[in-house]
Amino acid sequence: RLVVVGGEPGIGKSRLAEELAARASALGAEIHWGRCWEEGGAPPYWPWVQVLRACVQERSGEQLEVELGAGAPEVAELVPDVGAVLPGLAAPVSPDAQQARFRLFDAIAGFLRRASRSRPLVFLVDDLNWADEGSLRLLEFVARELADAHVLLVGTYRDIGLSRRHPLALALGELSRERPFERVFLRGLSDVDVERFVAAACGFQPDGGLVRAIHAQTEGNPFFVGEVVRLLRDEGALTPAAAATPDRWSARIPDGVREAIGRRLDRLSRACVSTLTVASAIGREFALDQLELLIDDLDEDALLEVLEEALDARVVEELPGASRYQFTHALIQATLADDLSRTRRARLHARIAQALEAHYGDRVVDHAAELAHHFGEAEAVLGAEGLIHHSALAGEAALATHAPEQALVHFERALAARGDAPDDDQAAELLFGRGRAQLAVLGHSELGLAVASFRRAFEHYVAAGEIGRALAVAAYPLPLSLRFGQTDIAELIARALALVSPSMHEAGALIAMRGWFLGFIDADYEGAQRDFGQALAIAEREADAALERRTLANAAFVDAFHLRWRDCLDRGARAIELARDAGDRSTEIPARRAVVFALIATGELVQGRAHVAAALAHAEQLREHWWLTSTSFNGLVLSLYEGDWGGARELTELGLAADPRDPRHLALRAVLARELGDDDEAEAQIALLAEVAKRSPPPGSIADHVFLALSIALGGRIAGGDPSLQAVALKAAEGVLSLPAVSPALATYSRSALALIAARRGDVEEARRLYETLVGQRGTASFFAPLTFDRLLGQLAVAAGQIDAALAHFAEGLAFCDRAGYRPEYAWTAVEYAAALLHRAQDDDRTRAAALRDEALVVAHELGMQPLADRLLA
């Protein structure tokens, strides 16, 4: 077979061929290399001379004589080493040139066929794009003649600069009709491969942002990746500490990369390079009409000619649409742009900014990001006003298209360009935009920055007497986040409500938000219902469907945290219906989340799955980090109840990619690790969670401490546990319960952690006390973590010495888990039930316990629950 491997320089063609050669050699094949010469001056058939000479040198005279056969004189003419091994060969017959070449080609093909009978041959020829035409004709001939021989021919070539008229392109066209011919194109490494490469190079798991930055800069070209990683490593930017400073990830272009690209550019004409330099300042993509605005000394025909030259060299490529192009690699553009001096670059960007702004006219909003970039690069020449104006437009456009990361960059850049200027309407608009982007992008521990942006914009609008704008800032719908337990937003809502009559339309959204704070933070359910009722009345009077669905979503969320499942399901379903009809995903997501809480608690796994899937799909479209972490958390809880460990791991990886310090995912990843017997992983996650919680003691982020307590207590129930960790869990749970106001769900789950610890310790008095506080939850499950209350109540009853009550709870728990499909909880409940039966030891208790044990063992083996299996087998 003949296989040719194509791709850009540095993509790994030669490396792939080397690996193939090593494996073939290990299997007993004979390996020989030939390399084509770029600079000229090489003799005809040079790559063939190299491989044939190596073949000759490996053979004895007798073997060579047999394998060359009658073609020995012809091969000796090309490879003089043959004459040294077989002296006295007659000179080949010299007919006309065509016949002579045929005899030579046939002699070589015959030699290779015979040589391969005793040992397979692998010939590898590098850089066929530089091969002389005779070598390519010989390749065509040999490929046809050796279809049934034990010979593998491998050629590599650069697909850049390979025009239709290039000799190799013509040869490949001929070969494509041959049966034993195959062509392979190599493309860049994926981001996953780049992550593995960086991890191997730097000795630690790299941050996702670092991987994305390197992949974006190199587009996965292995040579470029290696050079960039080497440079980052040499500059000390590849350490765990430096990985926390993303500004260091954008390194200069390494010399090796620059040299490789420079050699390609050196082959282009001066006019072509000059034109491409201007294009590089425009960006990775550019259009002919943009170049016409900026290049005065070339008319359209001349411009098209230099672009054709760049196309033939594969430096640029055409894009769909009218006369649009892009550089074939981002580093080609960057190399050209870096050759500009700072002054020339700024002046060139100034020309581009002004020309494109005039050119776009009324369509300037559609190109705001592009213009913001050029005005930013030209700030030293044009000042900051153009940068600020277009950055604001670009930020709003990015928010409208659900690209909050880009929006945040634009708003931050515009605010930085304002410097120390006092706040005005422009600053307030930018602050409001930045706050909205921060809500979507920042992790749960940083959402206070968004509140600060809102507050500053609100303060300006109030001072300026622009009450409508101030109310719009205060009433912006916030994600229902546990981080907003702080007083800042509640105070902002109170101040905004003081600016308007409570019966006015503008007050409706503020009152609905206040109801959420009353119900969730202050645990004032009645006060929350009054606010929700007032907001719904305003919505009905004003026919404000958006206010109605937001109020219902807030109310459903409060219902869930007050453990009112029926109310939550009713109001949540109505909110979902209204939001779905209006295409309001930002309201539909929290409404579905509230409903999922209730469905998990009541054991409706199938319905819960459907709502999680819909909410997660919307979250991925919005690309807002809070919704991604929150919806994946809901799915994670369901996966743990179901025993879908693979799905659970995928969801927690999704959540932690959006926010690596999200307490919910850290906690449940620890629980998952315990279920599978990976204690080291569990302890690592709990250590991270403890660090997160430590930074925000109650009454800060209450959920951090609830999850910390639950994850430790649940892990201890599965695998015992470190007494020092139990102390951490007790402190976290008691800290939450010591607060003056805690919603019933958070109080219940904190007490559940205490109950798990009390049951494990056999603390009779504490078990009795907690039993009384939790018995109202019988027949339900936690929506924070895999914990069914009948099983917990049974454990408490055992600890309190109430075996009959415990058996009743375990029986009810088994029935609940069986109906719900909560298989891991079913298995653990069966274990606890069996232990209680053996403790009672009446009548057929031992037989029933054995049956329960067998059921649990089946589940343990099917789901890979090693700790459970070990306990049962013991």
Side-chain angles (χ1 to χ4, degrees):
R1 178 177 293 275
L2 167 64
V3 180
V4 293
V5 182
E8 65 182 38
I11 203 67
K13 305 179 298 297
S14 298
R15 180 68 189 85
L16 177 61
E18 289 168 3
E19 182 68 17
L20 171 68
R23 297 194 185 192
S25 178
L27 293 171
E30 181 180 341
I31 314 297
H32 296 299
W33 283 85
R35 290 178 171 83
C36 302
W37 184 248
E38 176 184 8
E39 303 301 330
Y45 305 108
W46 175 238
W48 286 100
V49 169
Q50 295 171 72
V51 295
L52 292 170
R53 186 168 59 195
C55 266
V56 169
Q57 292 171 350
E58 283 208 0
R59 282 159 169 73
S60 67
E62 294 78 7
Q63 182 184 2
L64 187 61
E65 185 175 11
V66 170
E67 291 176 351
L68 283 172
E74 282 76 13
V75 177
E77 282 286 297
L78 185 64
V79 185
D81 298 60
V82 173
V85 178
L86 301 176
L89 288 174
V93 180
S94 300
D96 61 65
Q98 289 281 47
Q99 287 187 19
R101 187 162 80 165
F102 176 83
R103 289 173 64 87
L104 171 65
F105 287 7
D106 187 53
I108 292 173
F111 170 49
L112 298 181
R113 186 184 301 107
R114 288 186 289 272
S116 71
R117 290 171 183 166
S118 59
R119 188 181 181 193
L121 297 176
V122 178
F123 288 177
L124 304 107
V125 181
D126 236 352
D127 297 318
L128 282 172
N129 45 292
W130 294 329
D132 60 285
E133 196 162 347
S135 293
L136 295 174
R137 298 288 80 76
L138 177 53
L139 183 68
E140 291 178 40
F141 185 95
V142 169
R144 294 188 182 102
E145 294 296 312
L146 297 181
D148 58 347
H150 300 291
V151 179
L152 175 63
L153 301 172
V154 178
T156 72
Y157 72 96
R158 300 183 178 189
D159 59 357
I160 61 168
L162 207 65
S163 67
R164 292 187 302 274
R165 299 179 296 279
H166 192 285
L168 178 58
L170 298 174
L172 294 177
E174 289 293 321
L175 287 165
S176 64
R177 294 192 287 271
E178 300 300 322
R179 180 178 59 82
F181 172 73
E182 185 173 351
R183 192 180 332 198
V184 176
F185 289 103
L186 295 189
R187 296 294 178 253
L189 302 175
S190 69
D191 52 357
V192 174
D193 293 326
V194 171
E195 180 180 19
R196 292 170 59 201
F197 186 102
V198 177
C202 62
F204 68 92
Q205 194 63 26
D207 182 273
L210 170 59
V211 173
R212 288 190 294 273
I214 293 176
H215 188 266
Q217 188 181 22
T218 64
E219 297 182 4
N221 181 296
F223 171 66
F224 293 165
V225 171
E227 290 292 307
V228 169
V229 168
R230 179 187 59 78
L231 182 63
L232 288 171
R233 186 173 54 202
D234 291 347
E235 292 182 342
L238 279 185
T239 64
T245 54
D247 56 307
R248 302 191 66 182
W249 298 344
S250 182
R252 67 180 186 276
I253 299 173
D255 291 339
V257 175
R258 185 187 297 279
E259 289 164 5
I261 293 172
R263 286 196 295 272
R264 293 176 62 180
L265 298 175
D266 287 344
R267 300 190 182 94
L268 303 176
S269 68
R270 181 176 298 178
C272 184
V273 172
S274 177
T275 300
L276 292 177
T277 301
V278 174
S280 73
I282 295 173
R284 174 79 184 275
E285 297 182 16
F286 58 92
L288 179 63
D289 57 359
Q290 293 173 327
L291 289 176
E292 287 178 318
L293 295 171
L294 300 164
I295 298 177
D296 301 325
D297 54 346
L298 295 177
D299 60 18
E300 182 177 311
D301 287 339
L303 265 178
L304 287 171
E305 283 184 16
V306 298
L307 289 173
E308 287 286 345
E309 181 184 354
L311 286 167
D312 285 342
R314 285 294 307 280
V315 173
V316 301
E317 57 192 0
E318 288 186 284
L319 295 174
S323 302
R324 291 197 60 78
Y325 305 85
Q326 76 170 6
F327 288 96
T328 53
H329 202 287
L331 288 176
I332 297 176
Q333 177 214 352
T335 298
L336 285 161
D338 282 357
D339 284 341
L340 294 166
S341 68
R342 189 174 302 172
T343 301
R344 188 183 170 204
R345 185 184 297 116
R347 291 187 175 279
L348 180 55
H349 279 288
R351 286 184 60 208
I352 294 171
Q354 292 173 323
L356 293 182
E357 186 177 40
H359 176 66
Y360 291 139
D362 294 340
R363 297 177 293 120
V364 83
V365 174
D366 299 331
H367 301 275
E370 177 186 3
L371 290 168
H373 166 71
H374 292 302
F375 274 103
E377 294 294 312
E379 186 177 358
V381 178
L382 300 177
E385 195 53 43
L387 164 63
I388 295 169
H389 173 68
H390 291 291
S391 292
L393 293 177
E396 292 295 341
L399 284 176
T401 54
H402 309 302
E405 295 88 354
Q406 292 93 319
L408 184 56
V409 170
H410 291 305
F411 289 125
E412 293 277 21
R413 190 175 188 185
L415 285 164
R418 285 179 52 85
D420 298 327
D423 286 351
D424 55 15
D425 282 359
Q426 181 188 66
E429 289 176 11
L430 292 170
L431 287 163
F432 185 37
R434 181 176 72 177
R436 287 176 285 151
Q438 287 170 324
L439 284 179
V441 169
L442 298 180
H444 88 290
S445 61
E446 300 175 297
L447 291 178
L449 296 174
V451 177
S453 295
F454 279 9
R455 192 180 189 94
R456 191 169 145 195
F458 177 83
E459 299 287 0
H460 167 74
Y461 286 135
V462 171
E466 298 187 52
I467 303 304
R469 289 186 171 185
L471 293 175
V473 171
Y476 185 78
L478 301 170
L480 303 182
S481 163
L482 306 180
R483 290 300 301 184
F484 292 115
Q486 313 293 344
T487 58
D488 288 353
I489 287 291
E491 289 177 2
L492 195 64
I493 293 170
R495 288 189 57 194
L497 281 169
L499 300 174
V500 62
S501 168
S503 63
M504 292 180 65
H505 187 193
E506 292 80 359
L510 293 165
I511 293 170
M513 287 176 63
R514 186 178 66 185
W516 183 84
F517 276 94
L518 282 172
F520 185 76
I521 304 302
D522 297 338
D524 180 0
Y525 189 78
E526 298 307 320
Q529 300 317 301
R530 286 193 296 273
D531 273 356
F532 293 143
Q534 187 176 355
L536 288 172
I538 293 173
E540 183 178 4
R541 186 189 73 212
E542 301 292 338
D544 187 342
L547 174 58
E548 180 184 4
R549 58 183 180 261
R550 265 184 218 156
T551 303
L552 288 168
N554 285 7
F557 198 91
V558 167
D559 286 330
F561 277 82
H562 282 259
L563 310 176
R564 295 171 177 259
W565 311 126
R566 187 70 265 159
D567 292 336
C568 174
L569 290 170
D570 290 345
R571 292 202 271 201
R574 179 60 179 155
I576 292 168
E577 179 184 6
L578 293 171
R580 187 176 55 221
D581 292 346
D584 181 359
R585 288 172 290 189
S586 292
T587 302
E588 186 178 344
I589 291 172
R592 286 192 185 275
R593 290 194 65 226
V595 166
V596 169
F597 291 151
L599 293 172
I600 290 174
T602 54
E604 300 294 340
L605 188 148
V606 175
Q607 292 183 53
R609 277 273 178 223
H611 283 287
V612 166
L616 188 55
H618 291 329
E620 289 176 327
Q621 289 174 330
L622 292 178
R623 295 165 57 191
E624 295 186 8
H625 288 199
W626 175 253
W627 291 137
L628 279 171
T629 57
S630 298
T631 54
S632 57
F633 159 69
N634 291 138
L636 173 56
V637 176
L638 277 172
S639 292
L640 291 175
Y641 271 121
E642 192 175 9
D644 178 9
W645 311 132
R649 188 167 294 279
E650 287 180 12
L651 286 164
T652 195
E653 286 174 356
L654 173 64
L656 291 173
D659 180 4
R661 303 179 69 81
D662 186 271
R664 300 165 295 182
H665 286 275
L666 293 174
L668 294 191
R669 192 171 184 124
V671 173
L672 171 62
R674 291 289 190 202
E675 287 281 19
L676 298 177
D678 189 348
D679 292 338
D680 290 342
E681 166 75 0
E683 288 168 11
Q685 298 304 317
I686 288 172
L688 287 173
L689 178 54
E691 182 185 339
V692 170
K694 186 177 180 181
R695 296 186 180 187
S696 180
S701 182
I702 303 172
D704 297 9
H705 303 274
V706 177
F707 279 106
L708 178 60
L710 271 177
S711 61
I712 294 173
L714 285 169
R717 180 163 75 170
I718 295 170
D722 183 345
S724 63
L725 280 181
Q726 288 190 2
V728 171
L730 289 170
K731 181 180 178 182
E734 289 166 352
V736 171
L737 293 169
S738 68
L739 296 174
V742 183
S743 70
L746 295 179
T748 295
Y749 299 155
S750 297
R751 291 191 182 99
S752 299
L754 297 178
L756 288 166
I757 295 171
R760 175 164 178 73
R761 289 178 171 177
D763 187 333
V764 176
E765 292 306 317
E766 183 73 349
R768 288 174 177 169
R769 183 184 70 82
L770 290 167
Y771 180 93
E772 293 303 321
T773 65
L774 295 171
V775 71
Q777 300 308 312
R778 67 191 307 169
T780 66
S782 162
F783 60 76
F784 261 35
L787 169 70
T788 51
F789 282 99
D790 284 305
R791 178 184 169 201
L792 178 59
L793 291 166
Q795 288 180 299
L796 288 172
V798 168
Q802 300 169 358
I803 298 300
D804 288 340
L807 293 173
H809 283 302
F810 289 138
E812 291 173 11
L814 273 187
F816 176 85
C817 291
D818 185 48
R819 177 184 61 79
Y822 292 173
R823 298 186 71 206
E825 274 292 292
Y826 182 94
W828 280 110
T829 304
V831 171
E832 302 288 351
Y833 194 1
L837 286 168
L838 290 174
H839 180 80
R840 189 177 68 171
Q842 292 181 3
D843 300 330
D844 61 347
D845 282 352
R846 188 171 188 83
T847 302
R848 292 173 62 199
L852 289 167
R853 182 204 62 183
D854 291 344
E855 283 189 68
L857 192 58
V858 168
V859 175
H861 285 315
E862 286 183 1
L863 299 182
M865 299 168 67
Q866 195 59 45
L868 174 58
D870 290 344
R871 179 168 170 181
L872 287 163
L873 293 172

